[in-house]
Amino acid sequence: MSDNKIGLTAEGHAVVQGGYGVSAGLPGVLRMIDTFDRPGNASATGPYANAGAFAEGFENKPGKRLPKAGANTEAGVSHARAEWSVFDAEVKGPNTSAGVNASAADLGASAFAKAELASASATAGPVKATAGLSANTGVSVGPTGVEAKLLGTGFSIGRKTSFSLFGSGIEFNQE
């Protein structure tokens, strides 16, 4: 097993980012309590490549008792991010990623692939706006929702409700 580990979420991720999108949700307002006094931080990286895999379960350790497994890979030309207080901004150049996840604890599974030409996003508390050009394809199934995308067209229903057509769409987050 690699020391590189990837995070696991109930719904995985197969979000379409193309054209533009805006999202907001009550939990975002509550998360502002944790970030209103966050100091400023910025980072930028040139060409990058990462890969990771994990498989764990049936160990008497926190987070390792129930089986879960996953693998992901990503590569890109550039990535920059800045954050301060309740604000975040992120810009990505050409990049690709793919991943699979399954978890008995979440009763969910996901698989996705993404190719992105460029994107820029800005967050202010619970409101997030994204503009970019990418085509995501994937599926995610779990007790908190269902999501399906094929070359930028699809939907998600559950904690996150979204509809997209040819890469442009709208998203409502209750996460």
Side-chain angles (χ1 to χ4, degrees):
M1 284 294 131
S2 169
D3 286 332
N4 295 330
K5 293 190 177 183
I6 57 175
L8 185 64
T9 60
E11 58 273 68
H13 235 37
V15 177
V16 170
Q17 298 291 332
Y20 59 90
V22 176
S23 64
L26 177 61
V29 173
L30 298 176
R31 278 192 294 273
M32 290 174 63
I33 294 168
D34 285 339
T35 60
F36 78 92
D37 60 351
R38 178 173 56 175
N41 187 28
S43 64
T45 189
Y48 63 92
N50 299 304
F54 69 92
E56 51 197 30
F58 305 114
E59 291 182 47
N60 192 16
K61 295 180 181 176
K64 295 188 177 190
R65 292 181 179 100
L66 298 174
K68 57 186 156 237
N72 108 343
T73 183
E74 66 178 348
V77 176
S78 60
H79 180 225
R81 179 176 173 80
E83 59 189 25
W84 172 73
S85 185
V86 298
F87 306 101
D88 290 272
E90 184 174 49
V91 177
K92 290 183 178 180
N95 66 84
T96 61
S97 62
V100 295
N101 290 298
S103 171
D106 295 330
L107 301 174
S110 68
F112 68 92
K114 177 180 179 180
E116 183 173 58
L117 184 59
S119 71
S121 65
T123 303
V127 178
K128 181 176 182 179
T130 302
L133 181 58
S134 70
N136 295 359
T137 298
V139 65
S140 174
V141 179
T144 60
V146 175
E147 184 170 15
K149 307 281 186 206
L150 178 60
L151 297 176
T153 300
F155 68 93
S156 66
I157 297 174
R159 282 196 274 169
K160 178 177 68 177
T161 302
S162 69
F163 303 94
S164 59
L165 181 63
F166 304 120
S168 292
I170 188 165
E171 177 180 308
F172 304 95
N173 263 325
Q174 287 92 40
E175 295 182 23

